[in-house]
Amino acid sequence: MAHTLVVANWKMNPADAASAAQIAQGIVRRAKGRARIVICPPFIYMSVVAKAIGRSKHVFLGAQDAFAGKGAAHTGEVDVGMVKHAGAKYVIVGHSERRAAGETDETVREKLFAVLKAGVTAILCIGEKERDLHGGYFSDIKRELEHAVRGLPKKFLPKLVVAYEPVWAIGASSAMQSADVHETAIFIRRVANDIFGKTAAEKIRILYGGSVTKQNARDIVEQGNVDGLLVGRESLKANEFAELVNELGK
Ligand code: PGA
């Protein structure tokens, strides 16, 4: 794998454009380029963040979502063509907070295809709501992945990133143990191998997300054996986030 990928998911933050510009500038200035960073701000701040990123070689712009429908009559929606014009190279698809707000496996699939067909890298989020004692969570993860990529041509796989985010570890007080991240990443890889074949599935990058901090980032990447991280709360503090990224690949 060429580079470790760290995705900053700002969710519905910060409160204004000036703060968005400030955080993005801080990240660009302090992150040393050991990993590739993708900042995903709310749509309304994409242009100020694009400006703060400028021509950085290791920080890129992403969007938190993109609408998959066609035509112009969709009040309130933003499609992948629009975020691409704004400079986005990545789009998060199917985050658990969007699934909780009503996105189905089928909506997620439509969005995934729309993003990939536009030539943009998709960060597909999957993950169980809870870990039951009988391993039922494996079937939830499998269902979400299989449904999202059903019928997807292999040529799109280099632009597919799967972010494994156990829902119970998002916004929590601690992340999943790196040994469990490792086990789940192997499972996701195996499901992908069964669908696409080993050689093609190797091109998919797998990230972990859920309460990542600068203290646990390196352990999760190295012991969890993932290709990067998806970071929520900690990505809004420029200093902390840059330190988190700088911990990787030391
Ligand atoms: P968190 O959020 O890092 O604040 O747990 C992660 C996410 O929702 O992607």
Side-chain angles (χ1 to χ4, degrees), residues 94-110:
H95 188 280
S96 61
E97 287 154 14
R98 298 213 54 85
R99 293 183 192 254
E103 279 188 16
T104 62
D105 284 343
E106 187 52 26
T107 324
V108 172
R109 178 174 178 271
E110 286 165 9

PDB file of all heavy atoms in Angstrom, residues 94-110:
ATOM      1  N   GLY A  94     -22.314   6.414   3.213  1.00  0.00           N
ATOM      2  CA  GLY A  94     -22.939   5.474   4.159  1.00  0.00           C
ATOM      3  C   GLY A  94     -22.431   5.546   5.580  1.00  0.00           C
ATOM      4  O   GLY A  94     -22.406   4.524   6.290  1.00  0.00           O
ATOM      5  N   HIS A  95     -22.032   6.738   6.025  1.00  0.00           N
ATOM      6  CA  HIS A  95     -21.630   6.861   7.434  1.00  0.00           C
ATOM      7  C   HIS A  95     -22.798   6.418   8.317  1.00  0.00           C
ATOM      8  O   HIS A  95     -23.962   6.638   7.971  1.00  0.00           O
ATOM      9  CB  HIS A  95     -21.241   8.313   7.738  1.00  0.00           C
ATOM     10  CG  HIS A  95     -20.629   8.466   9.099  1.00  0.00           C
ATOM     11  ND1 HIS A  95     -21.391   8.529  10.242  1.00  0.00           N
ATOM     12  CD2 HIS A  95     -19.336   8.522   9.498  1.00  0.00           C
ATOM     13  CE1 HIS A  95     -20.576   8.629  11.286  1.00  0.00           C
ATOM     14  NE2 HIS A  95     -19.324   8.623  10.857  1.00  0.00           N
ATOM     15  N   SER A  96     -22.499   5.829   9.456  1.00  0.00           N
ATOM     16  CA  SER A  96     -23.568   5.273  10.298  1.00  0.00           C
ATOM     17  C   SER A  96     -24.561   6.346  10.745  1.00  0.00           C
ATOM     18  O   SER A  96     -25.735   6.045  10.975  1.00  0.00           O
ATOM     19  CB  SER A  96     -22.972   4.567  11.512  1.00  0.00           C
ATOM     20  OG  SER A  96     -22.233   5.479  12.281  1.00  0.00           O
ATOM     21  N   GLU A  97     -24.097   7.595  10.852  1.00  0.00           N
ATOM     22  CA  GLU A  97     -25.032   8.656  11.257  1.00  0.00           C
ATOM     23  C   GLU A  97     -26.017   8.956  10.132  1.00  0.00           C
ATOM     24  O   GLU A  97     -27.145   9.364  10.378  1.00  0.00           O
ATOM     25  CB  GLU A  97     -24.246   9.905  11.693  1.00  0.00           C
ATOM     26  CG  GLU A  97     -23.594   9.668  13.053  1.00  0.00           C
ATOM     27  CD  GLU A  97     -22.344  10.489  13.331  1.00  0.00           C
ATOM     28  OE1 GLU A  97     -22.078  11.463  12.602  1.00  0.00           O
ATOM     29  OE2 GLU A  97     -21.616  10.131  14.277  1.00  0.00           O
ATOM     30  N   ARG A  98     -25.609   8.755   8.891  1.00  0.00           N
ATOM     31  CA  ARG A  98     -26.530   8.925   7.760  1.00  0.00           C
ATOM     32  C   ARG A  98     -27.445   7.704   7.648  1.00  0.00           C
ATOM     33  O   ARG A  98     -28.614   7.829   7.316  1.00  0.00           O
ATOM     34  CB  ARG A  98     -25.761   9.145   6.462  1.00  0.00           C
ATOM     35  CG  ARG A  98     -24.907  10.414   6.491  1.00  0.00           C
ATOM     36  CD  ARG A  98     -24.805  11.050   5.134  1.00  0.00           C
ATOM     37  NE  ARG A  98     -26.119  11.278   4.604  1.00  0.00           N
ATOM     38  CZ  ARG A  98     -26.878  12.362   4.871  1.00  0.00           C
ATOM     39  NH1 ARG A  98     -26.420  13.306   5.663  1.00  0.00           N
ATOM     40  NH2 ARG A  98     -28.065  12.483   4.337  1.00  0.00           N
ATOM     41  N   ARG A  99     -26.893   6.537   7.932  1.00  0.00           N
ATOM     42  CA  ARG A  99     -27.754   5.337   7.914  1.00  0.00           C
ATOM     43  C   ARG A  99     -28.819   5.482   9.004  1.00  0.00           C
ATOM     44  O   ARG A  99     -29.989   5.161   8.790  1.00  0.00           O
ATOM     45  CB  ARG A  99     -26.922   4.075   8.151  1.00  0.00           C
ATOM     46  CG  ARG A  99     -25.946   3.753   6.993  1.00  0.00           C
ATOM     47  CD  ARG A  99     -25.221   2.444   7.305  1.00  0.00           C
ATOM     48  NE  ARG A  99     -24.088   2.180   6.430  1.00  0.00           N
ATOM     49  CZ  ARG A  99     -24.095   1.266   5.448  1.00  0.00           C
ATOM     50  NH1 ARG A  99     -25.157   0.554   5.205  1.00  0.00           N
ATOM     51  NH2 ARG A  99     -23.003   1.073   4.718  1.00  0.00           N
ATOM     52  N   ALA A 100     -28.409   5.995  10.177  1.00  0.00           N
ATOM     53  CA  ALA A 100     -29.376   6.182  11.278  1.00  0.00           C
ATOM     54  C   ALA A 100     -30.440   7.211  10.891  1.00  0.00           C
ATOM     55  O   ALA A 100     -31.569   7.162  11.368  1.00  0.00           O
ATOM     56  CB  ALA A 100     -28.651   6.632  12.547  1.00  0.00           C
ATOM     57  N   ALA A 101     -30.074   8.137   9.984  1.00  0.00           N
ATOM     58  CA  ALA A 101     -31.027   9.167   9.547  1.00  0.00           C
ATOM     59  C   ALA A 101     -31.884   8.663   8.380  1.00  0.00           C
ATOM     60  O   ALA A 101     -32.627   9.447   7.787  1.00  0.00           O
ATOM     61  CB  ALA A 101     -30.269  10.434   9.165  1.00  0.00           C
ATOM     62  N   GLY A 102     -31.755   7.399   8.013  1.00  0.00           N
ATOM     63  CA  GLY A 102     -32.667   6.831   7.022  1.00  0.00           C
ATOM     64  C   GLY A 102     -32.047   6.213   5.781  1.00  0.00           C
ATOM     65  O   GLY A 102     -32.769   5.668   4.950  1.00  0.00           O
ATOM     66  N   GLU A 103     -30.726   6.311   5.607  1.00  0.00           N
ATOM     67  CA  GLU A 103     -30.141   5.695   4.411  1.00  0.00           C
ATOM     68  C   GLU A 103     -30.193   4.173   4.524  1.00  0.00           C
ATOM     69  O   GLU A 103     -29.799   3.611   5.544  1.00  0.00           O
ATOM     70  CB  GLU A 103     -28.679   6.139   4.234  1.00  0.00           C
ATOM     71  CG  GLU A 103     -28.594   7.496   3.595  1.00  0.00           C
ATOM     72  CD  GLU A 103     -27.181   7.903   3.215  1.00  0.00           C
ATOM     73  OE1 GLU A 103     -26.264   7.058   3.161  1.00  0.00           O
ATOM     74  OE2 GLU A 103     -26.997   9.099   2.973  1.00  0.00           O
ATOM     75  N   THR A 104     -30.642   3.536   3.476  1.00  0.00           N
ATOM     76  CA  THR A 104     -30.720   2.078   3.464  1.00  0.00           C
ATOM     77  C   THR A 104     -29.476   1.515   2.764  1.00  0.00           C
ATOM     78  O   THR A 104     -28.700   2.266   2.153  1.00  0.00           O
ATOM     79  CB  THR A 104     -31.947   1.620   2.661  1.00  0.00           C
ATOM     80  OG1 THR A 104     -31.767   2.088   1.305  1.00  0.00           O
ATOM     81  CG2 THR A 104     -33.226   2.202   3.227  1.00  0.00           C
ATOM     82  N   ASP A 105     -29.305   0.197   2.822  1.00  0.00           N
ATOM     83  CA  ASP A 105     -28.198  -0.446   2.096  1.00  0.00           C
ATOM     84  C   ASP A 105     -28.269  -0.089   0.615  1.00  0.00           C
ATOM     85  O   ASP A 105     -27.247   0.099  -0.043  1.00  0.00           O
ATOM     86  CB  ASP A 105     -28.280  -1.968   2.242  1.00  0.00           C
ATOM     87  CG  ASP A 105     -27.818  -2.455   3.611  1.00  0.00           C
ATOM     88  OD1 ASP A 105     -27.140  -1.693   4.320  1.00  0.00           O
ATOM     89  OD2 ASP A 105     -28.141  -3.607   3.961  1.00  0.00           O
ATOM     90  N   GLU A 106     -29.496   0.031   0.088  1.00  0.00           N
ATOM     91  CA  GLU A 106     -29.657   0.321  -1.332  1.00  0.00           C
ATOM     92  C   GLU A 106     -29.278   1.784  -1.652  1.00  0.00           C
ATOM     93  O   GLU A 106     -28.628   2.050  -2.664  1.00  0.00           O
ATOM     94  CB  GLU A 106     -31.101   0.012  -1.760  1.00  0.00           C
ATOM     95  CG  GLU A 106     -31.362   0.106  -3.255  1.00  0.00           C
ATOM     96  CD  GLU A 106     -30.394  -0.696  -4.141  1.00  0.00           C
ATOM     97  OE1 GLU A 106     -29.816  -1.701  -3.670  1.00  0.00           O
ATOM     98  OE2 GLU A 106     -30.203  -0.290  -5.298  1.00  0.00           O
ATOM     99  N   THR A 107     -29.650   2.714  -0.783  1.00  0.00           N
ATOM    100  CA  THR A 107     -29.238   4.120  -0.994  1.00  0.00           C
ATOM    101  C   THR A 107     -27.714   4.204  -0.993  1.00  0.00           C
ATOM    102  O   THR A 107     -27.111   4.910  -1.814  1.00  0.00           O
ATOM    103  CB  THR A 107     -29.740   5.027   0.162  1.00  0.00           C
ATOM    104  OG1 THR A 107     -30.998   4.609   0.603  1.00  0.00           O
ATOM    105  CG2 THR A 107     -29.743   6.476  -0.225  1.00  0.00           C
ATOM    106  N   VAL A 108     -27.121   3.492  -0.046  1.00  0.00           N
ATOM    107  CA  VAL A 108     -25.661   3.530   0.080  1.00  0.00           C
ATOM    108  C   VAL A 108     -25.023   2.983  -1.205  1.00  0.00           C
ATOM    109  O   VAL A 108     -24.067   3.554  -1.723  1.00  0.00           O
ATOM    110  CB  VAL A 108     -25.207   2.713   1.324  1.00  0.00           C
ATOM    111  CG1 VAL A 108     -23.699   2.575   1.365  1.00  0.00           C
ATOM    112  CG2 VAL A 108     -25.711   3.370   2.605  1.00  0.00           C
ATOM    113  N   ARG A 109     -25.599   1.911  -1.732  1.00  0.00           N
ATOM    114  CA  ARG A 109     -25.082   1.331  -2.974  1.00  0.00           C
ATOM    115  C   ARG A 109     -25.178   2.345  -4.121  1.00  0.00           C
ATOM    116  O   ARG A 109     -24.230   2.530  -4.884  1.00  0.00           O
ATOM    117  CB  ARG A 109     -25.861   0.058  -3.309  1.00  0.00           C
ATOM    118  CG  ARG A 109     -25.430  -0.587  -4.604  1.00  0.00           C
ATOM    119  CD  ARG A 109     -26.132  -1.924  -4.813  1.00  0.00           C
ATOM    120  NE  ARG A 109     -25.723  -2.482  -6.087  1.00  0.00           N
ATOM    121  CZ  ARG A 109     -26.349  -2.229  -7.235  1.00  0.00           C
ATOM    122  NH1 ARG A 109     -27.400  -1.436  -7.250  1.00  0.00           N
ATOM    123  NH2 ARG A 109     -25.897  -2.750  -8.353  1.00  0.00           N
ATOM    124  N   GLU A 110     -26.317   3.008  -4.237  1.00  0.00           N
ATOM    125  CA  GLU A 110     -26.495   3.991  -5.319  1.00  0.00           C
ATOM    126  C   GLU A 110     -25.483   5.130  -5.194  1.00  0.00           C
ATOM    127  O   GLU A 110     -24.898   5.583  -6.182  1.00  0.00           O
ATOM    128  CB  GLU A 110     -27.925   4.563  -5.280  1.00  0.00           C
ATOM    129  CG  GLU A 110     -28.953   3.570  -5.791  1.00  0.00           C
ATOM    130  CD  GLU A 110     -30.382   3.961  -5.431  1.00  0.00           C
ATOM    131  OE1 GLU A 110     -30.595   5.084  -4.927  1.00  0.00           O
ATOM    132  OE2 GLU A 110     -31.275   3.123  -5.658  1.00  0.00           O
TER     133      GLU A 110
END
